[in-house]
Every structure is written in C-alpha cells, then in structure tokens.
C-alpha cells in the first residue's frame, strides 16, 4: 500500500485556506451595517368612545403641557386611541372606557402593559387616566391635587395635566375640572401659557442610527471621527459607510470619486481649521475678547450675598436652561436649601450647598 507524502496531505488544507481568504476578500462575509430603525409602532386606531363616558380631548385634537416633569403631548383619536410624546419618545395606547364611576369620574383609562408598546427607556407599563372631576369648591379641587401627589399643571379653564415616570410605569392624567357644576374661569396658581390645545400635529419619533449585525443583533452606532489632518487620510480608502470592515481589511473599498475639481474639495480643510480656531480663540471675531459661550451665559457668577430658598416639591428637576425643554442635570428633594444666583422670567438659577448649580422653576421654590 502506497502512503501519500506529508506535503501531499497538507496540500488540500492550503487550498481550502486560500479559498477562504478569497471569499473574505470578495466580501462574501460582511460585518455590521449602519441602519436607522423604524419608529416604534403605535395602534392605528381605537373603537369609538361610548356616549356615556366623559372624555376631555375630542377626536383629532391634542394638548401640550409643560408640566413639572417636563413637556408632554397627548394626541386624541381615532376613537379611544391616545398617543403620548415625551422626552423624545412617542407611544400609543387604546384606552378602555370605565363601566362605573371611579372617584366620581366615568372617563377612560388603561393600566398595565399595552398590546402595542415598545420599551421606552425602561418604561414597559402605563397608568393612564382621562376624565372629568367635579368639586363643590375651588379649595376642594386644590386639596385633591395635593393628595394625588402627581405634580400637575392647570389653566384657568380647569384643564389639568399631570405625568411622571414611576419605576417601570408611565403615569399620565388629563382632567377637566368643574366647580359647583360649572367650568371655572379662574383658578389659583393657574398658568394658561403652559397648556396649549389645537389640532393634532403628528411628529414621528426621531430615530438614531445603529449597527446591525447579520444575526440581527444591534448596538449603538458612533461615527468615526474624521482625521485631524485631511491630507493624512488614505486616498485609496472610501468613506466608512460605503464598505464593510472586510473590504477595508483587504483594501477593497471603492475608490473615492475624483471627477470633481480640486477647487470644490480644498475649502473643506481650512473651514474645519477655522471653525476650531473660532471655538478656542477669543480673538476669532476681531477685538471681541470678552465674548462668552452659551454655557457661560447660562451659568452666571454668584453674587456676594445670594437670597436663600427651599425646594418645594417631592422630586424636582434641575435643568441646564430656563425652559422645560432643556436637559435635566439632576433631581433634588423637598426641603433642600439653595442660594438664588439669578432670575429669568419664571425661573431661578440656584446653587445647592454641595456646589451643584442649575435652573429651577420659581413655583417649585419657597422663600
């Protein structure tokens, strides 16, 4: 019996390895792709609202409220469907009509996990209410809101909105108050500017690109930073979004388009350098050496003797700007002491005893 030589036995292995490398170089196996996911689904519609149930929002309308926990928008319809938008998120729920009065209200509600609901920053369940509340006196209405412990905002017509994230649950309430059987025309501490109503304006949730792998797994996408010196970039490489990592490994990326004139490409480098100088050099705008950034303007120097106040809310957001649309820097508790450094409209720029600073709405401070 003739046995093959050792070199002959290794030859098939070498051939297989060479074929595998050719397949990789040809791009038959690809890495992750940059994709932009579709916005989370919302229910298309809901059944009609029963005539006996008392709702606040009529179909095709919306309410936008700048509540203590931030801005929230609620779209009504079709039917029992409600769509809630907050903190860059948008989710929809088909509410259920109450069959008997709960706390005097025969409105609509939903508790638990909705059938159509995608995890919203850890919020997987909801506790939603919409209906009418009837009180004998204004004081009764004010006391009721304090007992509920859900920071509300309301207008002089008795439209009340409150919401907050609580553990894994989104809590939202929309009420229409009636005082002694009548819709009010004035309520204590009402702020008409913080609640607006009108026709529905659909704004889909803005989605960020992600890396999607062949097995369906997704990871956050962070674009690669451009080289500091554009002249050092590899002329033979294409933009990262136009070839996968195997193609880059084997230098198989398509050539960059060089049909355009050099004049159209050259301004990019000095523009970038000029932008960096403008951001870092106080002399970028001529003699304006005292110009400040937005952050400097939002954080004024502390005066010699700042008036004192206390936080008047169970959990209060401290923000980067004097608006409910700005970033929440941190949260504080009732009774925390602050020094008021500056006031702007209905906001105060405050400093806490531990040195933290930020903006707090005036109605959440007690002097």
């Amino acid at each position: 019996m003739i046995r093959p030589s050792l070199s002959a036995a290794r030859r098939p292995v070498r051939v297989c390895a060479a074929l595998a490398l050719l397949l990789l170089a040809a791009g038959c196996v690809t890495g992750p792709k940059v994709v932009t996911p579709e916005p989370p689904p919302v229910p298309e519609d809901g059944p009609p609202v029963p005539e006996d149930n008392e709702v606040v929002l009529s179909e095709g309308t919306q309410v936008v409220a700048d509540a203590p926990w931030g801005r929230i928008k609620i779209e009504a319809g079709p039917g029992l469907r409600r769509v809630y938008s907050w903190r860059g998120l948008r989710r929809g729920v088909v509410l259920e009509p109450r069959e008997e009065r709960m706390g005097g209200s025969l409105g609509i509600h939903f508790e638990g996990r909705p059938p159509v609901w995608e995890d919203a920053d850890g919020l997987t369940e909801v506790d939603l209410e919409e209906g009418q509340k009837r009180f004998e006196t204004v004081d009764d209405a004010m006391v009721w809101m304090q007992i509920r412990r859900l920071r509300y905002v309301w207008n002089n017509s008795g439209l009340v909105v409150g919401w907050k994230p609580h553990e894994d649950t989104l809590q939202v309430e929309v009420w229409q108050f009636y005082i002694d059987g009548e819709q009010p025309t004035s309520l204590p501490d009402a702020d008409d500017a913080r609640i607006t109503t009108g026709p529905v304006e659909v704004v889909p949730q803005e989605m960020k690109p992600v890396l999607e792998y062949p097995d369906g797994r997704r990871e956050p996408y962070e674009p690669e930073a451009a080289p500091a010196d554009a002249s050092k970039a590899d002329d033979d490489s294409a933009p990262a979004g136009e070839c996968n990592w195997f193609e880059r490994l084997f230098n198989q990326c398509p050539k960059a388009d060089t049909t355009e004139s050099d004049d159209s490409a050259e301004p990019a480098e000095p523009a970038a350098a000029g932008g960096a100088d403008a951001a870092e050099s106080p002399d970028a705008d001529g003699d304006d050496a005292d110009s400040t950034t937005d952050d400097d303007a939002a954080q004024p120097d502390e005066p010699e003797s700042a008036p004192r106040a206390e936080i008047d809310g169970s959990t209060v957001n401290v923000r980067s700007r004097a608006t409910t649309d700005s970033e929440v820097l941190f949260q504080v508790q009732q009774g925390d002491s602050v020094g008021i450094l500056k006031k702007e409209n209905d906001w105060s720029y405050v400093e806490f005893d531990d040195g933290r600073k930020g903006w707090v709405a005036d109605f959440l401070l007690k002097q």
Side-chain angles (χ1 to χ4, degrees):
M1 179 177 178
I2 300 176
R3 296 183 179 179
S5 65
L6 183 59
S7 61
R10 291 176 176 174
R11 189 174 298 114
V13 176
R14 295 172 180 171
V15 172
C16 292
L19 288 174
L21 289 175
L22 288 175
L23 291 174
L24 293 176
C28 293
V29 180
T30 61
K33 299 182 298 182
V34 178
V35 300
T36 300
E38 291 293 326
V42 298
E44 293 185 1
D45 54 25
V49 179
E51 293 183 1
D52 294 338
N53 288 90
E54 304 160 344
V55 298
V56 179
L57 303 176
S58 57
E59 186 164 322
T61 65
Q62 69 179 28
V63 59
V64 179
D66 288 323
W69 279 91
R71 173 169 292 187
I72 188 168
K73 182 175 80 168
I74 306 163
E75 306 166 27
L80 288 166
R81 189 188 77 159
R82 297 293 184 267
V83 179
Y84 303 86
S85 301
W86 76 102
R87 295 181 180 176
L89 303 169
R90 185 174 186 265
R91 300 291 187 272
V93 182
V94 176
L95 275 58
E96 301 172 347
R98 288 198 178 275
E99 297 181 356
E100 58 183 27
R101 293 190 177 274
M102 177 69 68
S105 173
L106 188 65
I108 56 180
H109 74 115
F110 192 96
E111 298 178 24
R113 177 152 193 160
V116 181
W117 184 275
E118 190 174 295
D119 187 313
D121 285 352
L123 300 175
T124 57
E125 298 191 358
V126 298
D127 184 359
L128 310 173
E129 291 278 1
E130 180 181 329
Q132 300 176 3
K133 299 294 293 184
R134 301 177 183 275
F135 303 94
E136 293 184 2
T137 67
V138 171
D139 288 343
D140 292 340
M142 298 296 106
V143 170
W144 181 86
M145 284 193 287
Q146 293 179 358
I147 294 174
R148 293 288 289 179
R149 302 178 68 85
L150 182 66
R151 308 291 297 183
Y152 296 98
V153 60
W154 59 93
N155 62 17
N156 283 301
S157 299
L159 179 57
V160 180
V161 180
W163 77 279
K164 71 175 180 180
H166 178 65
E167 297 179 351
D168 63 348
T169 301
L170 174 67
Q171 299 179 348
V172 185
E173 295 183 6
V174 182
W175 302 104
Q176 176 60 58
F177 281 6
Y178 289 88
I179 308 298
D180 194 21
E182 300 291 336
Q183 185 172 327
T185 58
S186 177
L187 288 175
D189 300 323
D191 191 342
D192 293 339
R194 296 177 64 186
I195 297 183
T196 58
T197 58
V200 167
E201 297 179 5
V202 177
V203 180
Q205 178 175 328
E206 183 178 352
M207 305 301 294
K208 297 181 179 179
V210 298
L211 288 176
E212 183 176 73
Y213 290 83
D215 60 1
R217 177 169 48 92
R218 289 180 174 180
E219 293 181 356
Y221 169 65
E222 297 181 1
E224 296 179 3
D229 186 354
S231 63
K232 297 180 181 180
D234 187 359
D235 293 336
D236 293 333
S237 63
E242 296 183 5
C243 61
N244 59 59
W245 65 277
F246 278 117
E247 291 171 326
R248 293 198 295 271
L249 177 64
F250 292 99
N251 199 25
Q252 296 295 319
C253 291
K255 298 289 185 179
D257 187 3
T258 58
T259 58
E260 298 181 359
S261 64
D262 294 339
D263 294 340
S264 63
E266 289 178 356
E269 182 176 352
D277 293 340
E280 297 174 3
S281 173
D283 298 328
D285 293 330
D287 297 332
D288 187 14
D290 295 331
S291 62
T292 60
T293 64
D294 290 342
D295 289 341
D296 294 334
Q299 298 181 2
D301 294 332
E302 181 179 358
E304 295 182 1
S305 58
R308 306 294 297 180
E310 289 185 357
I311 297 296
D312 187 23
S314 56
T315 304
V316 172
N317 292 331
V318 180
R319 298 184 176 273
S320 60
R321 297 286 187 276
T323 170
T324 55
D325 290 333
S326 62
E327 177 188 0
V328 176
L329 301 177
F330 52 91
Q331 293 181 331
V332 293
Q333 304 300 318
Q334 187 166 10
D336 288 353
S337 178
V338 300
I340 299 177
L341 308 183
K342 179 183 178 182
K343 299 185 73 68
E344 180 178 313
N345 297 329
D346 296 327
W347 293 75
S348 294
Y349 187 71
V350 302
E351 181 177 11
F352 292 81
D353 293 341
D354 58 5
R356 294 180 297 173
K357 298 178 182 179
W359 291 91
V360 176
D362 286 344
F363 76 95
L364 296 172
L365 294 174
K366 180 173 65 176
Q367 291 184 265

